[in-house]
Amino acid sequence: MAQMNLLHAINSALDHAMEKDERVMCFGEDVGHFGGVFRATSGLQEKYGKARCFNTPLVEQGILGFANGLAAQGSVPICEIQFADYIFPAFDQIVNETAKFRYRSGNEFNVGSLVIRTPYGGGIAGGLYHSQSPEAYFTGTPGIKVVVPRNPYQAKGLLTACINDKDPVIFFEPKRLYRASVGEVPEESYEIELGKAEVVTEGKDVTLLGWGAQMEIIEQAAQMAGEQGISCEVIDLRTLAPWDVDTVAKSVTKTGRLIISHEAPITGGFAGEISATISDVCFLHLESPIARVCGLDTPYPLMQEKEYVADKLKIFEAIKASVNF
Amino acid sequence: MNRPDSKVVNAIHQASFIRGDALEIPTLQVLDAQGDVIDGAQMPDIDEALAHKIYDTLAFIRVFDERMVASQRQGRISFYMTCKGEEAAITGSAAALSDDDMIMAQYREQAALRFRGFSTPNFMNQLFSNAKDLGKGRQMPIHYGSNELNYMTISSPLATQIPQAAGYAYGQKMAGKDALTICYFGEGAASEGDFHAGLNMAAVLKCPTVFFCRNNGYAISTGTDEQYAGDGIAPRGVGYGIETIRVDGNDLLAVLLATQTARAYALEHNKPVLIEAMSYRLGAHSTSDDPSGYRSKEEEELWAQIDGVLRFKTWMINQGWWDEDKDAALYEKYRTEVLSELKISEKIGAPALEELVTDVYHDVPKHLQDQLTELKSHIAKYPDAYPSAKGESH
Ligand SMILES: Cc1ncc(C[n+]2csc(CCOP(=O)(O)OP(=O)(O)O)c2C)c(N)n1
């Protein structure tokens, strides 16, 4: 085991993958010698050469189109979109091409080896174009998997699983935690199974569900509730598409209550999808309405960020409202 | 129109390529590296008053950039991007425009905004995201905009302004205005799909748009050798059927001449023009960047020697319009002004909480009103936890 921050853990996963398989390539804007604006690909070009770790011209549409072609050919492209806010120029290539390659060709062709890495989320004083959480645009598209790690250990294990997976995956990295989140990470390669949620803390009164950077905030709220004698079960969804309905349903069946929290705006956010499914599956076990604590339905602001976000106090209030319903 | 029965023009009967780098676009220069007018060079339309206004902008921006980087280092503002190295390209092109021309910038063109008359407090209030920021404190520092000054508010996603500039210019033409749109972008942004879409739209739809590419050598850490093959951005204009000119971006008079000529052409013919200004980003990409990781000090020093501000100053002195004493006094005036305005702006409070939900739509819809009401009652419960309840500015 070694102490790593989230960026080191990602770098380590990429390093193992490139070492093990020559077909693995890392590319994107500034990822070559510079190592990416956040330095996730540091040292990889020096180790594996310019042909396998390289800068691309500044065009996300091109990066994804190129990656689709590479993956269809049999390479293992791991491309970086510098900020999730800038994934939209590549939207067509992702939702119309990456996601549908296998289906539309009857599996004559597929881009299953493709991984898109991209930093997402707020809390870095980035304003509306450096803070978005666009996961729900992609969970609404069949054919791509969506994965979000919450700490360095998960980042390495989940990213490795994404690279080895037979389907294209978007791996959203919580950039607020890149350097802030530090923990024990095995030096060797390992995988965390995709499609499986993790029960972080067991509890009996209410289930709290989230992913990525929001988990830290959910855990703080759970602790506040604990001090008031409310026992929270905390679950990290980890994979959003396809998501682990069973683990969440089992928990809600036990607690009778569910609160989902994410950074993205509430309307059209992935919490809505979860709550529809869980109210269907767990209808007879619910003791209170499923609650969503999310961003407001506005672009992510620069000022008033503290007011805007789904912070621990808002979640704490939702917990109290749920148990007192 | 291509038709199968049309006569083949310039038929050849041996397979031979036109080389990818066949177009070697020449570079317009008026001043030499020392700031002396090159013999036989065409001069732009410039008189003493315009020269002074230009130099005033150059001096202000130098001081402002330097001062605001220092403020970022002191933690007073969160982020900054300088225009250092490209002042001549930006100011020289802005000086060729009429005030009615729309400016659509990328983010490094504060000198154009200053030339238009954006006040020091206006700049500062945006950087501090305070209640007086015209953009209501919603965007990161350097995302300026002013309707009054015909300067479109900056958007972070790169190149999105390029097709918009074509559309805006088409609208100006349809409205019968004697004005056009100038659109600034970097050689990095010229890789984006929006660049190609925008140029093609403007060419085909005959839009009076001046596309102004700042080729400053880098897109963050990516040098031009990893950004494009071939001879820069200019040949792309030719490829799209657009009149194109390349200019020494560190030669203010050449940029002024090129842009004046482009403006006249675009308005007379209702057509776009592409200008590629060859320059260098002397500073870091932004205050979050450290260029020592990807380029050498020597390279930076080489470019600093042909600095556009210095060359223009020399020319002004040669004209008898300027001297070193006046120069020192001007810089001192701006240092004092910037510092005192900074102290005022940083004390102005944050925008009101209500502005969290305005301008998402024309009217605040019911669901956002409800979200605000709910938020307010939540904040009332925890007044210590939220800056807005405490009346804090940040
Ligand atoms: C669509 C999009 N992709 C990526 C970014 C991140 N980014 C901001 S500035 C920049 C480099 C731009 O380089 P260039 O256009 O050459 O302008 P310069 O910074 O050199 O003035 C990048 C990649 C962005 N803002 N928008």
Side-chain angles (χ1 to χ4, degrees), chain A residues 30 55 58 60 307 311 317, chain B residues 192 221 227 382 386 388:
Chain A
D30 301 291
N55 287 343
L58 209 174
E60 294 77 11
E307 286 81 0
D311 66 355
E317 286 297 314
Chain B
E192 291 280 4
S221 79
Q227 194 64 248
Y382 296 99
Y386 298 97
S388 62

Side-chain angles (χ1 to χ4, degrees), chain B residues 113-227:
Chain B
L113 186 54
R114 179 64 180 192
F115 188 86
R116 280 276 163 98
F118 208 56
S119 70
T120 311
N122 272 342
F123 276 107
M124 216 70 91
N125 293 334
Q126 198 285 328
L127 295 172
F128 282 105
S129 313
N130 65 29
K132 291 197 172 164
D133 167 20
L134 296 178
K136 303 184 188 166
R138 290 178 181 143
Q139 293 210 75
M140 281 176 74
I142 66 99
H143 289 70
Y144 312 110
S146 165
N147 190 302
E148 189 195 338
L149 297 178
N150 285 318
Y151 195 93
M152 184 69 75
T153 301
I154 308 295
S155 170
S156 310
L158 287 166
T160 47
Q161 79 280 17
I162 302 175
Q164 292 171 16
Y168 200 96
Y170 191 84
Q172 288 169 313
K173 175 174 100 169
M174 293 299 283
K177 295 210 169 121
D178 186 28
L180 49 63
T181 299
I182 189 165
C183 178
Y184 292 98
F185 51 89
E187 87 289 347
S191 288
E192 291 280 4
D194 273 347
F195 166 85
H196 304 276
L199 263 67
N200 197 30
M201 292 288 279
V204 171
L205 297 169
K206 302 200 170 21
C207 309
T209 323
V210 174
F211 294 107
F212 193 98
C213 177
R214 301 179 287 100
N215 190 333
N216 65 12
Y218 286 90
I220 309 188
S221 79
T222 303
T224 52
D225 56 332
E226 291 180 300
Q227 194 64 248

Side-chain angles (χ1 to χ4, degrees), chain A residues 163-242:
Chain A
I163 298 166
N164 295 335
D165 198 79
K166 298 278 184 286
D167 289 312
V169 190
I170 307 183
F171 189 73
F172 285 108
E173 300 170 0
K175 63 175 168 290
R176 181 168 65 79
L177 304 184
Y178 266 155
R179 293 189 175 84
S181 178
V182 180
E184 293 275 298
V185 176
E187 313 244 23
E188 64 280 5
S189 184
Y190 62 97
E191 275 194 37
I192 296 173
E193 191 183 347
L194 301 187
K196 283 269 176 291
E198 181 193 358
V199 179
V200 179
T201 320
E202 297 202 17
K204 55 183 177 30
D205 297 329
V206 56
T207 302
L208 308 183
L209 180 67
W211 49 86
Q214 198 60 10
M215 290 313 298
E216 200 181 41
I217 291 152
I218 290 174
E219 290 189 75
Q220 290 164 4
Q223 187 174 348
M224 288 178 72
E227 285 158 14
Q228 310 255 312
I230 304 170
S231 158
C232 300
E233 179 140 306
V234 177
I235 301 182
D236 177 2
L237 199 54
R238 302 196 294 201
T239 302
L240 276 62

